[in-house]
Amino acid sequence: MVRKEKAMRLPTQHRGLEVKIPSFFRCPISLDVMRSPVSLCTGVTYDRASIQRWLDCGNTTCPATMLPLPSTDLVPNLTLRSLITHWAASSASCSPTAASVDSSVRSSPAGLVRQVASSRADPAPALRELAGYLSDDDVDDFEKNALVGAGRAAETVASVLRRKSEETSVEGLEAAVRVLAAIVASDGIEDANKKRVASGLAVDAAASAASLARVLRSGSGLEARIDAGRLAELLLSNAADEAKTTAAESTELVTELIRLVGPVDEKGTLDKKAVDTGLSCLAAISASRRAARAEMVRLGAVPAAVRTLHAMTEPGASAKALRILECAAGCAEGRAALCEDAEEAIPAVVGKMMKAGRDGAEAAVAVLWAVCHRYQDRRAADAAAASEGGLTKLLLLMQSGCSPAARQMALELLKIYKVNAKSCLAGYDSKTTHIMPF
């Protein structure tokens, strides 16, 4: 099926800017420039989305030749794809007016990245198209990786978050967050390219943190806020120490991450994704400098973590909340917050001790040991002694293969129960009572 090359017709004053589209760049089915050219066993190349729809309808022949298909495997035509990409980039750079006429040229991924890089225009429209491209399952992963890697899409989009607040609207920041989150969440994007996102954010961690906080505060919906939280987690977990510290000390960011862990409606409903994302970020912050932990406590991280322990049943979320409380108990501000509301906080910690995995269990013991034994807060000790099943859980933990440090802390915590051997046996309802801690 040979076609003559077609030219895009422009207004009279722009006739000299006509852009010719080679016929073999067009899909035989849609007649549009192919985004992801793939070849059938017949040797004919189609756009992946178009031929996939043809096959999904139950057709067993090649649309162009009508020959039967012994195989429906789609083989990426890398050579043609490279030619189309080069042609689209050349057309867009040589003739911006002409490029704006044809959707295939206007929406070329490379062209979109260049639009984002330009500070003269609102980046939001190009960013939305770019996010759609990266989220499109019909686009070959090779293309996405090429755009993020060699095309420097990650660095370019991350630079939007580093612009001055008066230069970029919340809509533009949200669109940039959506693009970067799509890169990070895609299974087809290589780890090396995902790290480009973290590197791009870390170039100016303070500005990136401020922009992420802005989306967390004013984003159009919960999904946008979660995406911003995931990027904050990436920055806090993968950047160099200096960038991590800068982000962790951003009061704006910490405030919004704590709010992300909170209820999403008046009924007090918690969103699992939002809670998990917020807790991951707060756990990363709590593992940083002491000053950052103290500030996080001041902003309300302890009540947020305790609320999560009461409301969530997922072991992963509980373990993260317990790690946050363990770090909080390492500073005076955190211990004060735990003991101030001991009747709510301590039973929540005891209740999740054996329901949050080994790490969560050891974090729970560390929290109880810090406030009940080392600093001997009477309110905390009384709340722990009154918590249902506390003694049993400590004994179980000691027999579970925990670390020597956790075992020693559990042994010292047993003293708050003031039991003798008989009462210990009465409260220890496990069948493994052959091991006594004392």
Side-chain angles (χ1 to χ4, degrees):
M1 298 177 67
V2 180
R3 297 183 178 85
K4 295 181 179 180
E5 293 185 353
K6 297 182 179 180
M8 293 181 296
R9 305 305 300 175
L10 304 178
T12 303
Q13 63 270 32
H14 298 305
R15 285 290 166 83
L17 298 176
E18 292 181 353
V19 176
K20 294 182 178 181
I21 303 176
S23 60
F24 57 93
F25 285 3
R26 296 180 180 274
C27 173
I29 297 176
S30 67
L31 301 182
D32 291 329
V33 175
M34 288 181 277
R35 286 178 174 272
S36 179
V38 292
S39 300
L40 286 175
C41 58
T42 57
V44 182
T45 299
Y46 302 89
D47 186 63
R48 181 184 292 274
S50 298
I51 191 61
Q52 192 63 59
R53 283 194 294 270
W54 169 268
L55 297 174
D56 290 344
C57 290
N59 296 298
T60 59
T61 59
C62 173
T65 65
M66 296 309 294
L67 293 174
L69 295 173
S71 170
T72 57
D73 292 342
L74 303 176
V75 180
N77 190 327
L78 304 182
T79 300
L80 182 56
R81 179 169 53 200
S82 298
L83 290 172
I84 293 175
T85 301
H86 179 73
W87 168 82
S90 300
S91 298
S93 61
C94 294
S95 178
T97 307
S100 67
V101 177
D102 187 273
S103 61
S104 298
V105 178
R106 184 184 65 245
S107 302
S108 68
L112 293 173
V113 173
R114 283 194 297 274
Q115 289 180 43
V116 173
S118 173
S119 60
R120 293 173 295 178
D122 179 9
L127 286 167
R128 293 191 191 101
E129 283 194 59
L130 200 55
Y133 173 82
L134 290 167
S135 302
D136 190 349
D137 292 335
D138 290 330
V139 177
D140 192 87
D141 290 338
F142 181 90
E143 288 188 26
K144 295 179 182 179
N145 278 293
L147 182 68
V148 177
R152 298 186 59 81
E155 292 88 344
T156 300
V157 176
S159 70
V160 174
L161 299 181
R162 303 196 301 269
R163 295 178 184 176
K164 296 179 180 179
S165 58
E166 61 270 16
E167 294 178 357
T168 310
S169 63
V170 174
E171 291 76 14
L173 294 177
E174 184 176 324
V177 164
R178 184 183 169 195
V179 172
L180 298 177
I183 294 173
V184 174
S186 175
D187 293 332
I189 299 294
E190 299 170 357
D191 289 342
N193 284 331
K194 291 182 179 181
K195 289 180 180 179
R196 290 174 177 272
V197 176
S199 299
L201 295 173
V203 170
D204 187 344
S208 296
S211 293
L212 292 174
R214 192 175 168 194
V215 175
L216 280 162
R217 180 173 58 253
S218 307
S220 61
L222 183 60
E223 194 61 37
R225 296 175 60 209
I226 292 174
D227 284 344
R230 286 172 175 162
L231 293 181
E233 180 185 357
L234 186 71
L235 177 60
L236 290 163
S237 303
N238 295 279
D241 290 342
E242 184 178 352
K244 288 181 185 179
T245 301
T246 300
E249 293 179 346
S250 170
T251 300
E252 293 176 283
L253 182 61
V254 175
T255 298
E256 295 306 324
L257 290 172
I258 292 173
R259 192 168 73 91
L260 187 64
V261 177
V264 297
D265 55 32
E266 296 179 354
K267 298 179 181 180
T269 305
L270 298 180
D271 182 88
K272 293 181 181 179
K273 290 183 180 179
V275 169
D276 189 67
T277 301
L279 289 177
S280 294
C281 293
L282 294 174
I285 292 172
S286 65
S288 61
R289 294 173 58 184
R290 181 185 180 89
R293 294 200 300 270
E295 180 66 7
M296 187 180 72
V297 170
R298 186 186 70 79
L299 294 172
V302 169
V306 171
R307 181 175 58 244
T308 299
L309 292 178
H310 281 295
M312 304 294 285
T313 59
E314 288 74 11
S318 297
K320 292 173 185 176
L322 289 169
R323 287 201 299 271
I324 291 169
L325 294 179
E326 179 186 9
C327 290
C331 64
E333 296 87 350
R335 293 190 295 274
L338 280 164
C339 297
E340 182 179 353
D341 196 14
E343 292 183 356
E344 281 289 324
I346 301 304
V349 173
V350 173
K352 295 297 184 181
M353 186 184 300
M354 303 305 292
K355 298 180 180 179
R358 176 174 172 172
D359 289 345
E362 295 193 1
V365 170
V367 171
L368 297 174
W369 180 84
V371 296
C372 298
H373 177 77
R374 183 177 181 184
Y375 295 96
Q376 299 183 352
D377 186 270
R378 177 49 51 191
R379 294 167 296 178
D382 290 344
S387 298
E388 183 178 355
L391 173 61
T392 302
K393 291 170 182 175
L394 285 173
L395 293 172
L396 285 171
L397 176 67
M398 293 174 65
Q399 298 179 39
S400 66
C402 62
S403 67
R407 180 181 175 82
Q408 181 61 35
M409 286 189 287
L411 183 60
E412 293 174 351
L413 281 170
L414 288 174
K415 298 174 183 178
I416 69 175
Y417 289 93
K418 297 179 180 179
V419 296
N420 55 34
K422 289 185 180 180
S423 61
C424 177
L425 286 171
Y428 193 29
D429 55 8
S430 170
K431 295 181 180 181
T432 59
T433 55
H434 60 283
I435 298 178
M436 292 298 296
F438 46 76

mmCIF file of all heavy atoms in Angstrom, residues 35 84-90 92-93 104-118 126 130 133 143 146-148 150-153 156:
data_model
loop_
_atom_site.group_PDB
_atom_site.id
_atom_site.type_symbol
_atom_site.label_atom_id
_atom_site.label_comp_id
_atom_site.label_asym_id
_atom_site.label_seq_id
_atom_site.Cartn_x
_atom_site.Cartn_y
_atom_site.Cartn_z
ATOM 1 N N ARG A 35 3.076 6.364 16.678
ATOM 2 C CA ARG A 35 3.766 6.645 17.931
ATOM 3 C C ARG A 35 4.651 5.465 18.346
ATOM 4 O O ARG A 35 5.754 5.637 18.830
ATOM 5 C CB ARG A 35 2.750 6.918 19.050
ATOM 6 C CG ARG A 35 2.070 8.278 18.969
ATOM 7 C CD ARG A 35 1.067 8.398 20.112
ATOM 8 N NE ARG A 35 0.482 9.720 20.167
ATOM 9 C CZ ARG A 35 0.987 10.741 20.832
ATOM 10 N NH1 ARG A 35 2.129 10.576 21.484
ATOM 11 N NH2 ARG A 35 0.402 11.918 20.848
ATOM 12 N N ILE A 84 11.069 8.360 12.920
ATOM 13 C CA ILE A 84 9.909 9.219 13.210
ATOM 14 C C ILE A 84 10.249 10.232 14.290
ATOM 15 O O ILE A 84 9.899 11.419 14.197
ATOM 16 C CB ILE A 84 8.696 8.364 13.627
ATOM 17 C CG1 ILE A 84 8.210 7.516 12.441
ATOM 18 C CG2 ILE A 84 7.559 9.241 14.144
ATOM 19 C CD1 ILE A 84 7.101 6.543 12.778
ATOM 20 N N THR A 85 10.930 9.771 15.336
ATOM 21 C CA THR A 85 11.295 10.667 16.436
ATOM 22 C C THR A 85 12.205 11.787 15.938
ATOM 23 O O THR A 85 12.015 12.960 16.275
ATOM 24 C CB THR A 85 12.002 9.880 17.552
ATOM 25 O OG1 THR A 85 11.123 8.853 18.038
ATOM 26 C CG2 THR A 85 12.384 10.799 18.706
ATOM 27 N N HIS A 86 13.193 11.427 15.122
ATOM 28 C CA HIS A 86 14.108 12.426 14.584
ATOM 29 C C HIS A 86 13.382 13.400 13.674
ATOM 30 O O HIS A 86 13.596 14.617 13.735
ATOM 31 C CB HIS A 86 15.235 11.725 13.820
ATOM 32 C CG HIS A 86 16.212 12.684 13.196
ATOM 33 N ND1 HIS A 86 17.132 13.387 13.938
ATOM 34 C CD2 HIS A 86 16.385 13.064 11.881
ATOM 35 C CE1 HIS A 86 17.834 14.153 13.123
ATOM 36 N NE2 HIS A 86 17.417 13.976 11.886
ATOM 37 N N TRP A 87 12.493 12.880 12.839
ATOM 38 C CA TRP A 87 11.733 13.730 11.921
ATOM 39 C C TRP A 87 10.840 14.699 12.695
ATOM 40 O O TRP A 87 10.767 15.889 12.381
ATOM 41 C CB TRP A 87 10.893 12.846 10.995
ATOM 42 C CG TRP A 87 9.867 13.610 10.203
ATOM 43 C CD1 TRP A 87 10.059 14.297 9.053
ATOM 44 C CD2 TRP A 87 8.484 13.767 10.546
ATOM 45 N NE1 TRP A 87 8.881 14.867 8.636
ATOM 46 C CE2 TRP A 87 7.899 14.560 9.541
ATOM 47 C CE3 TRP A 87 7.688 13.308 11.589
ATOM 48 C CZ2 TRP A 87 6.547 14.901 9.558
ATOM 49 C CZ3 TRP A 87 6.340 13.649 11.616
ATOM 50 C CH2 TRP A 87 5.790 14.436 10.597
ATOM 51 N N ALA A 88 10.141 14.173 13.739
ATOM 52 C CA ALA A 88 9.232 15.018 14.519
ATOM 53 C C ALA A 88 10.011 16.137 15.212
ATOM 54 O O ALA A 88 9.577 17.289 15.241
ATOM 55 C CB ALA A 88 8.476 14.177 15.541
ATOM 56 N N ALA A 89 11.174 15.792 15.762
ATOM 57 C CA ALA A 89 11.968 16.806 16.453
ATOM 58 C C ALA A 89 12.478 17.867 15.479
ATOM 59 O O ALA A 89 12.448 19.060 15.774
ATOM 60 C CB ALA A 89 13.150 16.129 17.158
ATOM 61 N N SER A 90 12.913 17.436 14.298
ATOM 62 C CA SER A 90 13.411 18.377 13.297
ATOM 63 C C SER A 90 12.312 19.287 12.794
ATOM 64 O O SER A 90 12.496 20.492 12.627
ATOM 65 C CB SER A 90 14.034 17.612 12.121
ATOM 66 O OG SER A 90 15.108 16.813 12.564
ATOM 67 N N ALA A 92 9.553 20.138 14.363
ATOM 68 C CA ALA A 92 9.100 21.069 15.402
ATOM 69 C C ALA A 92 10.076 22.218 15.581
ATOM 70 O O ALA A 92 9.690 23.362 15.784
ATOM 71 C CB ALA A 92 8.924 20.317 16.724
ATOM 72 N N SER A 93 11.389 21.914 15.501
ATOM 73 C CA SER A 93 12.390 22.961 15.711
ATOM 74 C C SER A 93 12.509 23.903 14.519
ATOM 75 O O SER A 93 12.761 25.088 14.668
ATOM 76 C CB SER A 93 13.756 22.321 16.011
ATOM 77 O OG SER A 93 14.170 21.522 14.919
ATOM 78 N N SER A 104 0.292 15.141 15.461
ATOM 79 C CA SER A 104 1.395 14.213 15.641
ATOM 80 C C SER A 104 2.676 14.962 15.927
ATOM 81 O O SER A 104 3.510 14.538 16.724
ATOM 82 C CB SER A 104 1.568 13.346 14.391
ATOM 83 O OG SER A 104 0.421 12.568 14.168
ATOM 84 N N VAL A 105 2.872 16.095 15.254
ATOM 85 C CA VAL A 105 4.065 16.894 15.487
ATOM 86 C C VAL A 105 3.930 17.640 16.800
ATOM 87 O O VAL A 105 4.834 17.680 17.614
ATOM 88 C CB VAL A 105 4.296 17.872 14.325
ATOM 89 C CG1 VAL A 105 5.510 18.730 14.590
ATOM 90 C CG2 VAL A 105 4.432 17.115 13.020
ATOM 91 N N ARG A 106 2.785 18.243 17.033
ATOM 92 C CA ARG A 106 2.581 19.038 18.238
ATOM 93 C C ARG A 106 2.745 18.191 19.495
ATOM 94 O O ARG A 106 3.266 18.644 20.503
ATOM 95 C CB ARG A 106 1.180 19.662 18.220
ATOM 96 C CG ARG A 106 0.907 20.594 19.414
ATOM 97 C CD ARG A 106 -0.518 21.104 19.399
ATOM 98 N NE ARG A 106 -1.483 20.049 19.589
ATOM 99 C CZ ARG A 106 -2.360 19.662 18.688
ATOM 100 N NH1 ARG A 106 -2.380 20.223 17.498
ATOM 101 N NH2 ARG A 106 -3.233 18.702 18.947
ATOM 102 N N SER A 107 2.312 16.941 19.450
ATOM 103 C CA SER A 107 2.312 16.099 20.631
ATOM 104 C C SER A 107 3.503 15.163 20.701
ATOM 105 O O SER A 107 3.496 14.233 21.490
ATOM 106 C CB SER A 107 1.010 15.271 20.656
ATOM 107 O OG SER A 107 -0.113 16.118 20.654
ATOM 108 N N SER A 108 4.511 15.357 19.839
ATOM 109 C CA SER A 108 5.679 14.484 19.919
ATOM 110 C C SER A 108 6.299 14.644 21.301
ATOM 111 O O SER A 108 6.429 15.756 21.814
ATOM 112 C CB SER A 108 6.691 14.832 18.836
ATOM 113 O OG SER A 108 7.261 16.098 19.090
ATOM 114 N N PRO A 109 6.672 13.538 21.938
ATOM 115 C CA PRO A 109 7.216 13.619 23.295
ATOM 116 C C PRO A 109 8.411 14.561 23.404
ATOM 117 O O PRO A 109 8.507 15.339 24.350
ATOM 118 C CB PRO A 109 7.614 12.170 23.585
ATOM 119 C CG PRO A 109 6.715 11.354 22.712
ATOM 120 C CD PRO A 109 6.528 12.158 21.475
ATOM 121 N N ALA A 110 9.321 14.496 22.421
ATOM 122 C CA ALA A 110 10.490 15.375 22.464
ATOM 123 C C ALA A 110 10.066 16.837 22.391
ATOM 124 O O ALA A 110 10.619 17.703 23.077
ATOM 125 C CB ALA A 110 11.443 15.038 21.318
ATOM 126 N N GLY A 111 9.054 17.118 21.553
ATOM 127 C CA GLY A 111 8.555 18.482 21.444
ATOM 128 C C GLY A 111 7.915 18.956 22.736
ATOM 129 O O GLY A 111 8.053 20.123 23.128
ATOM 130 N N LEU A 112 7.215 18.062 23.424
ATOM 131 C CA LEU A 112 6.588 18.414 24.698
ATOM 132 C C LEU A 112 7.633 18.763 25.744
ATOM 133 O O LEU A 112 7.469 19.712 26.513
ATOM 134 C CB LEU A 112 5.719 17.247 25.193
ATOM 135 C CG LEU A 112 4.475 16.921 24.364
ATOM 136 C CD1 LEU A 112 3.810 15.650 24.871
ATOM 137 C CD2 LEU A 112 3.475 18.086 24.414
ATOM 138 N N VAL A 113 8.719 18.004 25.763
ATOM 139 C CA VAL A 113 9.790 18.286 26.722
ATOM 140 C C VAL A 113 10.390 19.661 26.452
ATOM 141 O O VAL A 113 10.681 20.425 27.379
ATOM 142 C CB VAL A 113 10.871 17.189 26.661
ATOM 143 C CG1 VAL A 113 12.074 17.567 27.528
ATOM 144 C CG2 VAL A 113 10.302 15.850 27.115
ATOM 145 N N ARG A 114 10.552 19.993 25.171
ATOM 146 C CA ARG A 114 11.097 21.314 24.838
ATOM 147 C C ARG A 114 10.135 22.422 25.252
ATOM 148 O O ARG A 114 10.563 23.491 25.691
ATOM 149 C CB ARG A 114 11.385 21.396 23.329
ATOM 150 C CG ARG A 114 12.648 20.660 22.919
ATOM 151 C CD ARG A 114 13.053 21.057 21.507
ATOM 152 N NE ARG A 114 12.045 20.666 20.533
ATOM 153 C CZ ARG A 114 11.981 19.462 19.955
ATOM 154 N NH1 ARG A 114 12.869 18.539 20.279
ATOM 155 N NH2 ARG A 114 11.054 19.175 19.072
ATOM 156 N N GLN A 115 8.845 22.176 25.106
ATOM 157 C CA GLN A 115 7.864 23.179 25.541
ATOM 158 C C GLN A 115 7.960 23.399 27.048
ATOM 159 O O GLN A 115 7.879 24.526 27.526
ATOM 160 C CB GLN A 115 6.454 22.723 25.168
ATOM 161 C CG GLN A 115 6.142 22.757 23.682
ATOM 162 C CD GLN A 115 4.730 22.304 23.398
ATOM 163 O OE1 GLN A 115 3.795 22.684 24.087
ATOM 164 N NE2 GLN A 115 4.566 21.467 22.390
ATOM 165 N N VAL A 116 8.127 22.306 27.804
ATOM 166 C CA VAL A 116 8.239 22.420 29.256
ATOM 167 C C VAL A 116 9.486 23.206 29.630
ATOM 168 O O VAL A 116 9.478 24.013 30.565
ATOM 169 C CB VAL A 116 8.276 21.014 29.896
ATOM 170 C CG1 VAL A 116 8.578 21.121 31.394
ATOM 171 C CG2 VAL A 116 6.955 20.297 29.674
ATOM 172 N N ALA A 117 10.568 22.980 28.900
ATOM 173 C CA ALA A 117 11.829 23.658 29.210
ATOM 174 C C ALA A 117 11.743 25.155 28.973
ATOM 175 O O ALA A 117 12.477 25.937 29.592
ATOM 176 C CB ALA A 117 12.957 23.063 28.370
ATOM 177 N N SER A 118 10.846 25.583 28.091
ATOM 178 C CA SER A 118 10.701 27.000 27.795
ATOM 179 C C SER A 118 9.987 27.691 28.944
ATOM 180 O O SER A 118 8.913 27.278 29.373
ATOM 181 C CB SER A 118 9.905 27.193 26.500
ATOM 182 O OG SER A 118 9.618 28.564 26.298
ATOM 183 N N ALA A 126 1.488 21.150 28.193
ATOM 184 C CA ALA A 126 2.478 20.188 27.703
ATOM 185 C C ALA A 126 2.726 19.098 28.730
ATOM 186 O O ALA A 126 2.887 17.917 28.382
ATOM 187 C CB ALA A 126 3.785 20.907 27.362
ATOM 188 N N LEU A 130 2.296 15.081 28.359
ATOM 189 C CA LEU A 130 3.446 14.231 28.651
ATOM 190 C C LEU A 130 3.076 13.159 29.676
ATOM 191 O O LEU A 130 3.486 11.995 29.552
ATOM 192 C CB LEU A 130 4.589 15.086 29.176
ATOM 193 C CG LEU A 130 6.007 14.514 29.110
ATOM 194 C CD1 LEU A 130 6.353 14.090 27.690
ATOM 195 C CD2 LEU A 130 7.004 15.544 29.619
ATOM 196 N N TYR A 133 1.136 10.506 27.950
ATOM 197 C CA TYR A 133 2.018 9.661 27.132
ATOM 198 C C TYR A 133 2.727 8.627 28.000
ATOM 199 O O TYR A 133 2.784 7.440 27.666
ATOM 200 C CB TYR A 133 3.043 10.549 26.420
ATOM 201 C CG TYR A 133 4.122 9.804 25.685
ATOM 202 C CD1 TYR A 133 3.904 9.295 24.410
ATOM 203 C CD2 TYR A 133 5.371 9.613 26.269
ATOM 204 C CE1 TYR A 133 4.907 8.610 23.732
ATOM 205 C CE2 TYR A 133 6.372 8.937 25.601
ATOM 206 C CZ TYR A 133 6.136 8.431 24.334
ATOM 207 O OH TYR A 133 7.126 7.748 23.681
ATOM 208 N N GLU A 143 10.431 3.376 24.323
ATOM 209 C CA GLU A 143 10.237 4.803 24.023
ATOM 210 C C GLU A 143 10.240 5.627 25.302
ATOM 211 O O GLU A 143 10.844 6.702 25.367
ATOM 212 C CB GLU A 143 8.913 5.002 23.294
ATOM 213 C CG GLU A 143 8.886 4.507 21.871
ATOM 214 C CD GLU A 143 7.600 4.917 21.173
ATOM 215 O OE1 GLU A 143 7.005 5.929 21.580
ATOM 216 O OE2 GLU A 143 7.205 4.231 20.239
ATOM 217 N N ALA A 146 13.703 5.923 26.666
ATOM 218 C CA ALA A 146 14.512 6.809 25.830
ATOM 219 C C ALA A 146 14.182 8.270 26.127
ATOM 220 O O ALA A 146 15.076 9.125 26.191
ATOM 221 C CB ALA A 146 14.269 6.496 24.356
ATOM 222 N N LEU A 147 12.901 8.555 26.325
ATOM 223 C CA LEU A 147 12.485 9.930 26.604
ATOM 224 C C LEU A 147 12.998 10.391 27.971
ATOM 225 O O LEU A 147 13.498 11.505 28.118
ATOM 226 C CB LEU A 147 10.962 10.033 26.557
ATOM 227 C CG LEU A 147 10.378 11.425 26.793
ATOM 228 C CD1 LEU A 147 10.727 12.351 25.643
ATOM 229 C CD2 LEU A 147 8.862 11.340 26.963
ATOM 230 N N VAL A 148 12.882 9.523 28.967
ATOM 231 C CA VAL A 148 13.310 9.884 30.320
ATOM 232 C C VAL A 148 14.822 9.957 30.417
ATOM 233 O O VAL A 148 15.377 10.835 31.088
ATOM 234 C CB VAL A 148 12.764 8.862 31.345
ATOM 235 C CG1 VAL A 148 13.267 9.196 32.749
ATOM 236 C CG2 VAL A 148 11.240 8.856 31.327
ATOM 237 N N ALA A 150 17.766 9.553 27.603
ATOM 238 C CA ALA A 150 18.453 10.397 26.624
ATOM 239 C C ALA A 150 17.721 11.712 26.392
ATOM 240 O O ALA A 150 18.343 12.743 26.123
ATOM 241 C CB ALA A 150 18.596 9.637 25.306
ATOM 242 N N GLY A 151 16.385 11.678 26.510
ATOM 243 C CA GLY A 151 15.599 12.892 26.294
ATOM 244 C C GLY A 151 15.573 13.841 27.473
ATOM 245 O O GLY A 151 15.039 14.946 27.374
ATOM 246 N N ARG A 152 16.119 13.396 28.619
ATOM 247 C CA ARG A 152 16.218 14.223 29.827
ATOM 248 C C ARG A 152 14.877 14.773 30.281
ATOM 249 O O ARG A 152 14.781 15.884 30.820
ATOM 250 C CB ARG A 152 17.227 15.368 29.626
ATOM 251 C CG ARG A 152 18.653 14.893 29.364
ATOM 252 C CD ARG A 152 19.626 16.057 29.332
ATOM 253 N NE ARG A 152 19.630 16.807 30.579
ATOM 254 C CZ ARG A 152 20.285 16.444 31.668
ATOM 255 N NH1 ARG A 152 20.963 15.317 31.696
ATOM 256 N NH2 ARG A 152 20.262 17.203 32.745
ATOM 257 N N ALA A 153 13.816 13.977 30.081
ATOM 258 C CA ALA A 153 12.490 14.432 30.494
ATOM 259 C C ALA A 153 12.402 14.590 32.005
ATOM 260 O O ALA A 153 11.787 15.543 32.509
ATOM 261 C CB ALA A 153 11.424 13.447 30.003
ATOM 262 N N THR A 156 14.142 17.788 33.143
ATOM 263 C CA THR A 156 13.432 18.969 32.655
ATOM 264 C C THR A 156 12.168 19.226 33.455
ATOM 265 O O THR A 156 11.879 20.363 33.862
ATOM 266 C CB THR A 156 13.080 18.801 31.169
ATOM 267 O OG1 THR A 156 14.283 18.637 30.410
ATOM 268 C CG2 THR A 156 12.336 20.026 30.644
#
